[in-house]
PDB file of all heavy atoms in Angstrom:
ATOM      1  N   ARG T 120       0.551  -1.501  15.729  1.00 98.00           N
ATOM      2  CA  ARG T 120       0.963  -2.416  14.664  1.00 98.00           C
ATOM      3  C   ARG T 120      -0.279  -2.712  13.796  1.00 98.00           C
ATOM      4  O   ARG T 120      -1.330  -3.094  14.330  1.00 98.00           O
ATOM      5  CB  ARG T 120       1.535  -3.721  15.208  1.00 98.00           C
ATOM      6  CG  ARG T 120       2.813  -3.541  15.981  1.00 98.00           C
ATOM      7  CD  ARG T 120       3.178  -4.849  16.675  1.00 98.00           C
ATOM      8  NE  ARG T 120       3.494  -5.910  15.753  1.00 98.00           N
ATOM      9  CZ  ARG T 120       3.080  -7.174  15.855  1.00 98.00           C
ATOM     10  NH1 ARG T 120       2.260  -7.499  16.846  1.00 98.00           N
ATOM     11  NH2 ARG T 120       3.446  -8.050  15.002  1.00 98.00           N
ATOM     12  N   CYS T 121      -0.120  -2.532  12.504  1.00 98.00           N
ATOM     13  CA  CYS T 121      -1.171  -2.865  11.546  1.00 98.00           C
ATOM     14  C   CYS T 121      -0.550  -3.525  10.375  1.00 98.00           C
ATOM     15  O   CYS T 121       0.661  -3.711  10.301  1.00 98.00           O
ATOM     16  CB  CYS T 121      -1.962  -1.601  11.149  1.00 98.00           C
ATOM     17  SG  CYS T 121      -1.001  -0.409  10.188  1.00 98.00           S
ATOM     18  N   ALA T 122      -1.351  -3.928   9.402  1.00 98.00           N
ATOM     19  CA  ALA T 122      -0.853  -4.580   8.202  1.00 98.00           C
ATOM     20  C   ALA T 122      -1.758  -4.220   7.002  1.00 98.00           C
ATOM     21  O   ALA T 122      -2.947  -4.040   7.197  1.00 98.00           O
ATOM     22  CB  ALA T 122      -0.691  -6.049   8.353  1.00 98.00           C
ATOM     23  N   ARG T 123      -1.156  -4.111   5.844  1.00 98.00           N
ATOM     24  CA  ARG T 123      -1.890  -3.706   4.612  1.00 98.00           C
ATOM     25  C   ARG T 123      -1.810  -4.783   3.560  1.00 98.00           C
ATOM     26  O   ARG T 123      -0.750  -5.341   3.298  1.00 98.00           O
ATOM     27  CB  ARG T 123      -1.236  -2.433   4.085  1.00 98.00           C
ATOM     28  CG  ARG T 123      -1.695  -2.016   2.682  1.00 98.00           C
ATOM     29  CD  ARG T 123      -1.079  -0.715   2.231  1.00 98.00           C
ATOM     30  NE  ARG T 123       0.369  -0.751   2.311  1.00 98.00           N
ATOM     31  CZ  ARG T 123       1.151  -1.206   1.353  1.00 98.00           C
ATOM     32  NH1 ARG T 123       0.638  -1.721   0.256  1.00 98.00           N
ATOM     33  NH2 ARG T 123       2.474  -1.197   1.469  1.00 98.00           N
ATOM     34  N   SER T 124      -2.953  -5.117   2.981  1.00 97.00           N
ATOM     35  CA  SER T 124      -2.982  -6.094   1.919  1.00 97.00           C
ATOM     36  C   SER T 124      -2.362  -5.548   0.658  1.00 97.00           C
ATOM     37  O   SER T 124      -2.548  -4.378   0.298  1.00 97.00           O
ATOM     38  CB  SER T 124      -4.428  -6.512   1.642  1.00 97.00           C
ATOM     39  OG  SER T 124      -4.479  -7.410   0.557  1.00 97.00           O
ATOM     40  N   MET T 125      -1.592  -6.405  -0.072  1.00 95.00           N
ATOM     41  CA  MET T 125      -1.065  -6.026  -1.358  1.00 95.00           C
ATOM     42  C   MET T 125      -0.880  -7.267  -2.220  1.00 95.00           C
ATOM     43  O   MET T 125      -0.748  -8.395  -1.693  1.00 95.00           O
ATOM     44  CB  MET T 125       0.259  -5.268  -1.209  1.00 95.00           C
ATOM     45  CG  MET T 125       1.398  -6.069  -0.642  1.00 95.00           C
ATOM     46  SD  MET T 125       3.026  -5.245  -0.806  1.00 95.00           S
ATOM     47  CE  MET T 125       3.413  -5.510  -2.535  1.00 95.00           C
ATOM     48  N   ALA T 126      -0.901  -7.081  -3.523  1.00 93.00           N
ATOM     49  CA  ALA T 126      -0.553  -8.097  -4.499  1.00 93.00           C
ATOM     50  C   ALA T 126      -1.448  -9.320  -4.471  1.00 93.00           C
ATOM     51  O   ALA T 126      -0.994 -10.400  -4.850  1.00 93.00           O
ATOM     52  CB  ALA T 126       0.924  -8.504  -4.344  1.00 93.00           C
ATOM     53  N   VAL T 127      -2.680  -9.158  -4.030  1.00 95.00           N
ATOM     54  CA  VAL T 127      -3.581 -10.310  -3.970  1.00 95.00           C
ATOM     55  C   VAL T 127      -4.030 -10.652  -5.405  1.00 95.00           C
ATOM     56  O   VAL T 127      -4.485  -9.829  -6.161  1.00 95.00           O
ATOM     57  CB  VAL T 127      -4.811  -9.994  -3.079  1.00 95.00           C
ATOM     58  CG1 VAL T 127      -5.506  -8.721  -3.452  1.00 95.00           C
ATOM     59  CG2 VAL T 127      -5.782 -11.143  -3.076  1.00 95.00           C
ATOM     60  N   VAL T 128      -3.894 -11.926  -5.770  1.00 96.00           N
ATOM     61  CA  VAL T 128      -4.234 -12.366  -7.127  1.00 96.00           C
ATOM     62  C   VAL T 128      -4.718 -13.848  -7.073  1.00 96.00           C
ATOM     63  O   VAL T 128      -4.357 -14.601  -6.218  1.00 96.00           O
ATOM     64  CB  VAL T 128      -3.054 -12.255  -8.092  1.00 96.00           C
ATOM     65  CG1 VAL T 128      -2.746 -10.843  -8.443  1.00 96.00           C
ATOM     66  CG2 VAL T 128      -1.825 -12.995  -7.565  1.00 96.00           C
ATOM     67  N   THR T 129      -5.532 -14.164  -8.106  1.00 97.00           N
ATOM     68  CA  THR T 129      -5.938 -15.557  -8.334  1.00 97.00           C
ATOM     69  C   THR T 129      -5.742 -15.867  -9.801  1.00 97.00           C
ATOM     70  O   THR T 129      -6.115 -15.075 -10.684  1.00 97.00           O
ATOM     71  CB  THR T 129      -7.412 -15.764  -7.949  1.00 97.00           C
ATOM     72  OG1 THR T 129      -7.601 -15.445  -6.577  1.00 97.00           O
ATOM     73  CG2 THR T 129      -7.834 -17.202  -8.219  1.00 97.00           C
ATOM     74  N   HIS T 130      -5.129 -17.001 -10.088  1.00 97.00           N
ATOM     75  CA  HIS T 130      -4.906 -17.381 -11.490  1.00 97.00           C
ATOM     76  C   HIS T 130      -6.245 -17.490 -12.226  1.00 97.00           C
ATOM     77  O   HIS T 130      -7.245 -17.939 -11.642  1.00 97.00           O
ATOM     78  CB  HIS T 130      -4.208 -18.749 -11.521  1.00 97.00           C
ATOM     79  CG  HIS T 130      -3.668 -19.091 -12.869  1.00 97.00           C
ATOM     80  ND1 HIS T 130      -4.489 -19.561 -13.908  1.00 97.00           N
ATOM     81  CD2 HIS T 130      -2.385 -19.039 -13.371  1.00 97.00           C
ATOM     82  CE1 HIS T 130      -3.739 -19.797 -14.985  1.00 97.00           C
ATOM     83  NE2 HIS T 130      -2.487 -19.488 -14.687  1.00 97.00           N
ATOM     84  N   PRO T 131      -6.321 -17.035 -13.462  1.00 94.00           N
ATOM     85  CA  PRO T 131      -7.556 -17.067 -14.208  1.00 94.00           C
ATOM     86  C   PRO T 131      -8.268 -18.411 -14.249  1.00 94.00           C
ATOM     87  O   PRO T 131      -9.482 -18.520 -14.240  1.00 94.00           O
ATOM     88  CB  PRO T 131      -7.172 -16.629 -15.629  1.00 94.00           C
ATOM     89  CG  PRO T 131      -5.942 -15.795 -15.415  1.00 94.00           C
ATOM     90  CD  PRO T 131      -5.239 -16.400 -14.247  1.00 94.00           C
ATOM     91  N   ASP T 132      -7.479 -19.515 -14.232  1.00 95.00           N
ATOM     92  CA  ASP T 132      -8.038 -20.836 -14.279  1.00 95.00           C
ATOM     93  C   ASP T 132      -8.661 -21.268 -12.957  1.00 95.00           C
ATOM     94  O   ASP T 132      -9.362 -22.327 -12.894  1.00 95.00           O
ATOM     95  CB  ASP T 132      -6.953 -21.880 -14.664  1.00 95.00           C
ATOM     96  CG  ASP T 132      -6.431 -21.702 -16.103  1.00 95.00           C
ATOM     97  OD1 ASP T 132      -7.146 -21.013 -16.869  1.00 95.00           O
ATOM     98  OD2 ASP T 132      -5.366 -22.226 -16.417  1.00 95.00           O
ATOM     99  N   HIS T 133      -8.457 -20.509 -11.911  1.00 96.00           N
ATOM    100  CA  HIS T 133      -8.964 -20.915 -10.605  1.00 96.00           C
ATOM    101  C   HIS T 133      -9.858 -19.836  -9.960  1.00 96.00           C
ATOM    102  O   HIS T 133     -10.157 -19.908  -8.776  1.00 96.00           O
ATOM    103  CB  HIS T 133      -7.762 -21.177  -9.666  1.00 96.00           C
ATOM    104  CG  HIS T 133      -6.976 -22.381 -10.044  1.00 96.00           C
ATOM    105  ND1 HIS T 133      -7.233 -23.661  -9.571  1.00 96.00           N
ATOM    106  CD2 HIS T 133      -5.933 -22.501 -10.899  1.00 96.00           C
ATOM    107  CE1 HIS T 133      -6.395 -24.512 -10.111  1.00 96.00           C
ATOM    108  NE2 HIS T 133      -5.572 -23.843 -10.907  1.00 96.00           N
ATOM    109  N   GLN T 134     -10.287 -18.878 -10.761  1.00 94.00           N
ATOM    110  CA  GLN T 134     -11.221 -17.870 -10.227  1.00 94.00           C
ATOM    111  C   GLN T 134     -12.591 -18.458 -10.078  1.00 94.00           C
ATOM    112  O   GLN T 134     -12.986 -19.384 -10.769  1.00 94.00           O
ATOM    113  CB  GLN T 134     -11.192 -16.670 -11.142  1.00 94.00           C
ATOM    114  CG  GLN T 134      -9.864 -15.910 -11.122  1.00 94.00           C
ATOM    115  CD  GLN T 134      -9.774 -14.754 -12.117  1.00 94.00           C
ATOM    116  OE1 GLN T 134     -10.734 -14.451 -12.806  1.00 94.00           O
ATOM    117  NE2 GLN T 134      -8.623 -14.120 -12.171  1.00 94.00           N
ATOM    118  N   GLY T 135     -13.388 -17.852  -9.163  1.00 93.00           N
ATOM    119  CA  GLY T 135     -14.740 -18.343  -8.925  1.00 93.00           C
ATOM    120  C   GLY T 135     -14.831 -19.559  -7.987  1.00 93.00           C
ATOM    121  O   GLY T 135     -15.920 -20.133  -7.856  1.00 93.00           O
ATOM    122  N   LYS T 136     -13.731 -19.895  -7.340  1.00 95.00           N
ATOM    123  CA  LYS T 136     -13.717 -21.046  -6.400  1.00 95.00           C
ATOM    124  C   LYS T 136     -13.674 -20.635  -4.954  1.00 95.00           C
ATOM    125  O   LYS T 136     -13.523 -21.475  -4.064  1.00 95.00           O
ATOM    126  CB  LYS T 136     -12.508 -21.932  -6.747  1.00 95.00           C
ATOM    127  CG  LYS T 136     -12.484 -22.492  -8.120  1.00 95.00           C
ATOM    128  CD  LYS T 136     -11.224 -23.362  -8.365  1.00 95.00           C
ATOM    129  CE  LYS T 136     -11.216 -23.955  -9.754  1.00 95.00           C
ATOM    130  NZ  LYS T 136     -10.011 -24.757 -10.008  1.00 95.00           N
ATOM    131  N   GLY T 137     -13.785 -19.336  -4.683  1.00 96.00           N
ATOM    132  CA  GLY T 137     -13.756 -18.856  -3.302  1.00 96.00           C
ATOM    133  C   GLY T 137     -12.380 -18.811  -2.653  1.00 96.00           C
ATOM    134  O   GLY T 137     -12.263 -18.643  -1.451  1.00 96.00           O
ATOM    135  N   LEU T 138     -11.337 -18.879  -3.493  1.00 97.00           N
ATOM    136  CA  LEU T 138      -9.960 -18.887  -2.917  1.00 97.00           C
ATOM    137  C   LEU T 138      -9.647 -17.532  -2.295  1.00 97.00           C
ATOM    138  O   LEU T 138      -8.960 -17.496  -1.276  1.00 97.00           O
ATOM    139  CB  LEU T 138      -8.965 -19.209  -4.039  1.00 97.00           C
ATOM    140  CG  LEU T 138      -9.091 -20.591  -4.648  1.00 97.00           C
ATOM    141  CD1 LEU T 138      -8.063 -20.830  -5.754  1.00 97.00           C
ATOM    142  CD2 LEU T 138      -8.968 -21.701  -3.568  1.00 97.00           C
ATOM    143  N   PHE T 139     -10.066 -16.468  -2.906  1.00 97.00           N
ATOM    144  CA  PHE T 139      -9.796 -15.115  -2.354  1.00 97.00           C
ATOM    145  C   PHE T 139     -10.272 -15.006  -0.917  1.00 97.00           C
ATOM    146  O   PHE T 139      -9.525 -14.629  -0.008  1.00 97.00           O
ATOM    147  CB  PHE T 139     -10.432 -14.053  -3.229  1.00 97.00           C
ATOM    148  CG  PHE T 139     -10.327 -12.634  -2.679  1.00 97.00           C
ATOM    149  CD1 PHE T 139      -9.310 -11.805  -3.122  1.00 97.00           C
ATOM    150  CD2 PHE T 139     -11.184 -12.166  -1.728  1.00 97.00           C
ATOM    151  CE1 PHE T 139      -9.182 -10.511  -2.624  1.00 97.00           C
ATOM    152  CE2 PHE T 139     -11.067 -10.874  -1.207  1.00 97.00           C
ATOM    153  CZ  PHE T 139     -10.066 -10.052  -1.669  1.00 97.00           C
ATOM    154  N   SER T 140     -11.571 -15.346  -0.682  1.00 97.00           N
ATOM    155  CA  SER T 140     -12.151 -15.234   0.646  1.00 97.00           C
ATOM    156  C   SER T 140     -11.479 -16.188   1.625  1.00 97.00           C
ATOM    157  O   SER T 140     -11.186 -15.821   2.781  1.00 97.00           O
ATOM    158  CB  SER T 140     -13.662 -15.516   0.561  1.00 97.00           C
ATOM    159  OG  SER T 140     -14.281 -14.625  -0.324  1.00 97.00           O
ATOM    160  N   THR T 141     -11.197 -17.416   1.191  1.00 98.00           N
ATOM    161  CA  THR T 141     -10.587 -18.401   2.072  1.00 98.00           C
ATOM    162  C   THR T 141      -9.218 -17.908   2.558  1.00 98.00           C
ATOM    163  O   THR T 141      -8.915 -17.923   3.745  1.00 98.00           O
ATOM    164  CB  THR T 141     -10.438 -19.751   1.348  1.00 98.00           C
ATOM    165  OG1 THR T 141     -11.737 -20.238   1.029  1.00 98.00           O
ATOM    166  CG2 THR T 141      -9.716 -20.770   2.268  1.00 98.00           C
ATOM    167  N   LEU T 142      -8.372 -17.494   1.626  1.00 98.00           N
ATOM    168  CA  LEU T 142      -7.024 -17.068   1.978  1.00 98.00           C
ATOM    169  C   LEU T 142      -7.037 -15.762   2.806  1.00 98.00           C
ATOM    170  O   LEU T 142      -6.271 -15.600   3.759  1.00 98.00           O
ATOM    171  CB  LEU T 142      -6.200 -16.854   0.704  1.00 98.00           C
ATOM    172  CG  LEU T 142      -5.954 -18.093  -0.135  1.00 98.00           C
ATOM    173  CD1 LEU T 142      -5.182 -17.715  -1.426  1.00 98.00           C
ATOM    174  CD2 LEU T 142      -5.230 -19.151   0.616  1.00 98.00           C
ATOM    175  N   THR T 143      -7.919 -14.833   2.435  1.00 98.00           N
ATOM    176  CA  THR T 143      -8.018 -13.579   3.191  1.00 98.00           C
ATOM    177  C   THR T 143      -8.420 -13.818   4.630  1.00 98.00           C
ATOM    178  O   THR T 143      -7.819 -13.298   5.565  1.00 98.00           O
ATOM    179  CB  THR T 143      -9.004 -12.613   2.508  1.00 98.00           C
ATOM    180  OG1 THR T 143      -8.545 -12.319   1.171  1.00 98.00           O
ATOM    181  CG2 THR T 143      -9.047 -11.286   3.262  1.00 98.00           C
ATOM    182  N   ASN T 144      -9.441 -14.628   4.829  1.00 98.00           N
ATOM    183  CA  ASN T 144      -9.893 -14.923   6.202  1.00 98.00           C
ATOM    184  C   ASN T 144      -8.834 -15.637   6.997  1.00 98.00           C
ATOM    185  O   ASN T 144      -8.710 -15.445   8.237  1.00 98.00           O
ATOM    186  CB  ASN T 144     -11.213 -15.642   6.177  1.00 98.00           C
ATOM    187  CG  ASN T 144     -12.374 -14.767   5.731  1.00 98.00           C
ATOM    188  OD1 ASN T 144     -12.434 -13.577   6.092  1.00 98.00           O
ATOM    189  ND2 ASN T 144     -13.292 -15.314   4.964  1.00 98.00           N
ATOM    190  N   MET T 145      -8.063 -16.494   6.356  1.00 98.00           N
ATOM    191  CA  MET T 145      -6.957 -17.179   7.073  1.00 98.00           C
ATOM    192  C   MET T 145      -5.890 -16.173   7.499  1.00 98.00           C
ATOM    193  O   MET T 145      -5.357 -16.227   8.623  1.00 98.00           O
ATOM    194  CB  MET T 145      -6.325 -18.245   6.165  1.00 98.00           C
ATOM    195  CG  MET T 145      -7.252 -19.411   5.900  1.00 98.00           C
ATOM    196  SD  MET T 145      -6.558 -20.585   4.660  1.00 98.00           S
ATOM    197  CE  MET T 145      -5.334 -21.391   5.685  1.00 98.00           C
ATOM    198  N   ALA T 146      -5.620 -15.209   6.625  1.00 98.00           N
ATOM    199  CA  ALA T 146      -4.613 -14.208   6.933  1.00 98.00           C
ATOM    200  C   ALA T 146      -5.097 -13.257   8.025  1.00 98.00           C
ATOM    201  O   ALA T 146      -4.351 -12.823   8.909  1.00 98.00           O
ATOM    202  CB  ALA T 146      -4.271 -13.401   5.656  1.00 98.00           C
ATOM    203  N   VAL T 147      -6.388 -12.915   8.005  1.00 98.00           N
ATOM    204  CA  VAL T 147      -6.983 -12.057   9.045  1.00 98.00           C
ATOM    205  C   VAL T 147      -6.828 -12.729  10.385  1.00 98.00           C
ATOM    206  O   VAL T 147      -6.442 -12.088  11.395  1.00 98.00           O
ATOM    207  CB  VAL T 147      -8.460 -11.774   8.711  1.00 98.00           C
ATOM    208  CG1 VAL T 147      -9.145 -11.096   9.923  1.00 98.00           C
ATOM    209  CG2 VAL T 147      -8.599 -10.846   7.495  1.00 98.00           C
ATOM    210  N   GLU T 148      -7.157 -14.000  10.506  1.00 98.00           N
ATOM    211  CA  GLU T 148      -7.057 -14.690  11.770  1.00 98.00           C
ATOM    212  C   GLU T 148      -5.615 -14.780  12.216  1.00 98.00           C
ATOM    213  O   GLU T 148      -5.328 -14.654  13.447  1.00 98.00           O
ATOM    214  CB  GLU T 148      -7.658 -16.081  11.652  1.00 98.00           C
ATOM    215  CG  GLU T 148      -7.726 -16.848  12.966  1.00 98.00           C
ATOM    216  CD  GLU T 148      -8.452 -16.077  14.069  1.00 98.00           C
ATOM    217  OE1 GLU T 148      -9.379 -15.322  13.762  1.00 98.00           O
ATOM    218  OE2 GLU T 148      -8.042 -16.245  15.250  1.00 98.00           O
TER     219      GLU T 148
END
Side-chain angles (χ1 to χ4, degrees):
R120 295 170 68 223
C121 65
R123 170 178 53 86
S124 175
M125 65 169 283
V127 52
V128 289
T129 301
H130 192 282
D132 294 342
H133 293 270
Q134 293 176 2
K136 299 179 180 180
L138 297 179
F139 175 96
S140 302
T141 298
L142 297 176
T143 300
N144 287 323
M145 292 173 76
V147 168
E148 185 55 33

